[in-house]
Every structure is written in structure tokens, then in C-alpha cells.
DNA sequence: AAGTGTGAACAGCTTCACAGCC
DNA sequence: GGCTGTGAAGCTGTTCACACTT
């Protein structure tokens, strides 16, 4: 979530048709999200010529517990070697395959305001296999402009352009009022996966997948925690470690950083 | 989810010190995230002069199920009227209070690249009570520039400027390599809530709250679902209900938009 | 000795269904 | 009659601990 979620129906791919091939395997949503993180870390390790990692190391780099990581990877079937660890490249390939990251996915961004323009110029997308292939806006003043190396088209052109470029994923970065319209157009153009930044629920057919990122809501959650702290002033000076980071000297690979982020555990409210 | 999470410690506010006052109440994290959404919707309803809403209506506008909504609100104590619904303004006030949204929170953005600049100019923040009060960058070429109405300071100025402006929340929008540094500086400046867009785990003291938004990871999850669909072409028309949800026709308020987003239910993988 | 893979306990969140109130 | 508030049931996801492999 922080995310959206479905309202009704027991849902979930009925997946009856399983012909010949490897045994089917059901992967929890939460695990899929983390796969993306592991993949990124593995890419970096690979670039650093690291050949194998232990669950402990990989977990530290990804910011999760090692038990969770092993459990996650177990959904891929056996990929590690006991007593040794995981072969970086092998695991990476396996993950890429599972995530469908073997080929690049063309991305279309609708709404070239502040956010949309930033996304168009955001290198992180292209680097990870998601080139922004097309930009759309309803404002004629913006149409034709070159943003982040891509020309802005009018939304009316959406369907043909998306078709031609083979767009797989749509990003809605319009104001809230136009979000549903943008979404409808994407759906009509055959796009079946949508990432939206508009803070409104989008109505889509069952076959379309939507993920919502609500930035202001994120801040609001943080705000809640600030407020919590202000109310209850430091329950006690941290019992143990005064400075979080200490661990062993960095071994070889990149940062040994470990997330000390507080997340679980419900909170008391006055 | 999508989010980051802690690695160690059983966590959770020990909250022993409970003096006189209302009964304490523990709110699940997931519920807090949705509170932010409800608050937004209520703000809109209030602007539209709607006086009361039923859980059904409010839920539809927020994109959740009505049962979940009622359960969530029950953590606030009784706020509705049976047989009638919720008083919009009353509920809104109650939520604002709980979320600590009664006063504006000053936000500092570190890293004024594409994303940082977009955030600086993003109206959604200010509108929801999170004015971007300060910008920082390590690149001297950017220092002094005026972005989104705010001057960019050098990161070395971070502590004094944040102090002076009373910054509550820090946003890390730097490249991955500098994220930990930016984070450390924020923490040193006394900022205890951080939202990061860098795809690396941040090491922070226990007292600091971090939320991570990994945009590329979001796309990767979507990519996974595209791949899923490509592999198994429509397993079968849904056994029972062809269209989920049928409910009543739109009642009164704005859009009856309903999110049909597929989220739950694990997935089959070849 | 080191480290994976996993069953089983556990915790958190969601959904159901209905009692209680207006 | 309509709608909230909530126990209880069910599910998803996390943590633990240890058997098993190299």
C-alpha cells in the first residue's frame, strides 16, 4: 500500500487449465512485490561480479529478514545450494523469468504535468526495463512538446499510438478529475496494466490490473507517526545500540545497509 | 506493501504511560493507510456540501468494501448514527485529529532531480496539508535555483534550514548512491519521518519512521501480471458471477466509481 | 560448519453475518 | 426499514526453529 484493493468477489485466477510442464506454483502477492526488490539487488551484485550470496547477505541488501527471503525464494523451487548460498546469475535469471522481466515493457504516461514530466525523464524506469515510449496530454499547449526525449501526443491519439508502439503498461499522472477518463482510454486501447498516481479509485474491467500510488497519503501516514511521537515523548532512551548502524565492516559487495524501519505492530491512540 | 519493513525486533510502541483521558485504542497500520484515503474523500464531500454519508457510499468513493470501512472507523469509537450514516464534518474532524492532520507539516525534499523537482511543484502536497518548505541538493549547479516557488539550498545547509523552518518530514529523492547520506543528514537534523523514493533500504535509528516508494518495483509487479495474462489466455469465464458487485444505482454524491482492482488471491506460475 | 528449504505456530487483516439502535 | 458497530471465522503473510544437504 499501501495500496488499493478489490472490493468484492473471492477472486483469484481459477487457473484450472494446467497442461504438461513444470508443477504449477502459487505465489503470494506480497512475495511478488519483494521479488522485484531482490531482482534489483541481484542486478547490482551481478554487475559487481559477485558470484554467490547467502540468504543473510541478500536479505540485508534488500532490507528484509533472511527467513522471509528464503521463504520467498522457496516459491521458485529450489534455487540455492545448501551450505553455500545462491548463485547470483542463476537466481537472477530465474526471477526475471518469473516476473516476466525477460523483455522490455513499453510504458505510456498520460498527463504530462509536473509528475508526468518527471516520470518521462526518470532514468530509473528505462534502467529497469521499462522505457517510457509515449506521452499523452489533453492540453493542446503541451502537445508536440519534447519531454524527456519523447514527444507529447494528444490523448485522442492514444489508441493508435499505443497500438503502434506495443504499449504494455499505462501510467495515469493526470489530475484526479481526469483520471477515470485517462484510464478508460488506456483500457479501450487494450492496455491491461495501469499504475495510477491519482488519489481516486479507478473503475476497470476485471481483466485489467491497477496499482495505485497515493503520495499525499504516504505523507499522511508519516504524519500520523509524527503525531504519535509528539504525544508520547520518547518511551525511553534506546535500550541498546545508540547508533543504529554498526554491524561488521562491509564485506565485499556494496552496502551492508539494513533497514531498521519500524513497520508492524499497531499503534496506541489517545 | 508493498512497502518496506523492519528486519528485527518485535517492535511496536510500548506505550505504557497512559494517564487520565480517553481509553487508549490500538489502530492497525493497514487501517491508518486507509484513514488517509477516507479523509481525502470526506474533504471532497464536505466541499460539495454533503452532510451525511452511509458506509456504502463512502466505501464506494474510497474504493474499499463497506464492511472494511465500518471496521476501520470502529477504531475511532462510535462516530456514526445507526440507520442514518456518518456526519461528514464530524467524521472528518475526528479523522484529522487521529491522523495528526490538524496542523500543516513542513516537508523538506532532498535531491532536486526530475522527481524532486516534480514533488516541489506538486500541488497535491500543499492541498493536503504538506507544504514543501525546503529543497536541498548536493549539486552546486542547482543550488540557488528557484523550483516550484522554493529556493534550492545546498545539503550542507540542511540542519540549520530544517530547524528554522520546523521541518517535520523529509523526502529522499536522490539517486540510490546518495540516499543513505541524505537520510543521515535528515536524521541528524532531527527529522524523524522519511519518505524515500530510492530503491535501497535505509538504515536509521529506531526512533525514525521510513516509508519507501519504489516506482520501478511497482511497474515490475504490473509486468508480472501482464506476463501472467500472456501465458494463460483467459482461464475461463468466471464460474459464477460474471460481473462482480451489482449493488444499487448511484445514490447521490459524486462519482460512484468502484475499484474493481484485482489484488488478492495468489497467482499460478508455470 | 555453514546455510538452504520448510512445516508449523503465530500475528495481522479481511470478510461475514447479525445484534442492536435509530 | 435502514444502517452502524462488532464478535467470530477465515485467510494471508510472517516468524521460528530445525531437519537436511553439501
Amino acid at each position: 500500500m499501501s495500496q488499493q484493493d478489490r472490493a468484492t468477489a473471492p477472486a483469484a485466477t481459477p487457473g484450472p487449465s494446467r497442461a504438461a510442464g513444470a508443477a504449477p506454483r502459487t505465489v503470494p502477492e506480497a512475495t511478488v512485490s519483494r521479488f522485484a526488490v531482490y531482482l534489483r539487488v541481484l542486478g547490482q551484485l551481478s554487475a559487481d561480479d559477485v558470484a554467490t550470496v547467502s540468504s543473510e547477505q541478500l536479505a540485508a541488501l534488500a532490507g528484509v529478514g533472511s527467513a522471509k527471503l528464503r521463504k520467498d525464494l522457496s516459491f521458485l523451487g529450489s534455487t540455492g545450494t545448501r551450505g553455500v548460498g545462491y548463485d547470483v546469475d542463476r537466481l537472477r535469471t530465474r526471477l526475471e523469468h518469473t516476473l516476466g522481466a525477460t523483455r522490455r515493457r513499453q510504458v505510456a504516461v498520460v498527463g504530462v504535468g509536473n509528475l508526468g514530466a518527471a516520470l518521462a525523464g526518470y532514468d530509473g524506469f528505462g534502467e529497469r526495463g521499462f522505457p517510457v515510449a509515449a506521452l499523452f496530454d489533453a492540453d493542446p499547449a503541451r502537445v508536440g512538446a519534447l519531454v524527456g526525449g519523447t514527444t507529447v501526443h494528444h490523448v485522442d491519439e492514444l489508441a493508435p499510438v499505443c497500438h503502434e508502439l506495443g504499449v504494455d503498461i499505462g501510467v495515469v499522472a493526470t489530475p484526479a478529475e481526469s483520471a477515470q477518463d485517462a484510464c478508460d482510454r488506456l483500457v479501450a486501447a487494450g492496455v491491461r496494466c495501469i499504475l495510477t498516481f491519482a488519489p481516486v479509485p479507478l473503475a476497470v474491467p476485471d481483466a485489467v490490473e491497477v496499482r495505485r500510488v497515493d503520495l499525499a497519503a504516504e505523507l499522511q501516514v508519516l504524519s500520523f507517526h509524527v503525531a504519535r511521537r509528539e504525544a508520547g515523548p520518547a518511551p525511553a532512551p534506546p535500550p541498546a545500540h545508540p547508533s543504529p548502524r554498526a554491524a561488521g565492516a562491509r564485506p565485499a559487495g556494496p552496502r551492508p545497509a539494513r533497514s531498521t524501519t519500524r513497520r508492524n505492530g499497531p499503534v496506541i491512540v489517545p
Side-chain angles (χ1 to χ4, degrees), chain A:
Chain A
M1 205 21 36
S2 41
Q3 350 350 338
Q4 70 293 49
D5 49 39
R6 210 225 310 73
T8 38
T13 335
S17 53
R18 189 118 295 284
R25 208 166 268 279
T26 120
V27 183
E29 268 295 320
T31 295
V32 174
S33 315
R34 283 186 302 261
F35 276 172
V37 177
Y38 305 152
L39 185 53
R40 199 202 88 96
V41 174
L42 286 167
Q44 212 167 269
L45 287 175
S46 187
D48 290 354
D49 284 317
V50 178
T52 58
V53 265
S54 69
S55 60
E56 203 75 49
Q57 297 171 271
L58 188 49
L61 291 168
V64 305
S66 66
K68 196 188 284 188
L69 178 126
R70 285 200 303 278
K71 180 62 120 200
D72 283 344
L73 294 187
S74 79
F75 288 105
L76 298 174
S78 226
T79 43
T81 316
R82 298 179 189 228
V84 179
Y86 301 89
D87 180 285
V88 171
D89 286 319
R90 210 166 85 88
L91 183 52
R92 191 160 79 114
T93 306
R94 193 81 183 73
L95 273 175
E96 269 174 359
H97 193 262
T98 306
L99 286 175
T102 46
R103 78 165 160 88
R104 298 172 76 77
R105 303 277 172 188
Q106 308 300 114
V107 175
V109 175
V110 188
V112 191
N114 268 306
L115 196 59
L119 296 176
Y122 182 44
D123 295 328
F125 283 168
E127 283 165 14
R128 296 231 236 153
F130 301 98
V132 175
L135 300 175
F136 300 95
D137 204 295
D139 182 353
R142 285 182 185 146
V143 173
L146 195 68
V147 178
T150 314
T151 310
V152 178
H153 296 268
H154 191 274
V155 275
D156 288 341
E157 303 287 313
L158 199 144
V161 174
C162 283
H163 255 115
E164 193 190 336
L165 297 173
V167 166
D168 300 293
I169 299 175
V171 175
V172 175
T174 64
E177 312 83 68
S178 345
Q180 183 64 55
D181 178 61
C183 173
D184 291 344
R185 287 173 190 260
L186 284 167
V187 171
V191 175
R192 288 186 299 186
C193 287
I194 295 177
L195 177 64
T196 176
F197 289 90
V200 293
L202 296 178
V204 294
D206 276 17
V208 177
E209 177 79 23
V210 176
R211 290 184 73 86
R212 184 161 87 196
V213 173
D214 186 337
L215 297 175
E218 294 292 331
L219 291 187
Q220 203 117 64
V221 173
L222 282 174
S223 167
F224 169 82
H225 290 286
V226 199
R228 256 323 290 111
R229 290 172 211 282
E230 280 171 359
H241 43 219
S243 157
R245 159 193 309 257
R250 62 179 59 187
R255 285 193 163 254
R258 71 243 170 64
S259 163
T260 316
T261 306
R262 193 151 298 294
R263 172 104 357 266
N264 299 4
V267 199
I268 311 290
V269 148

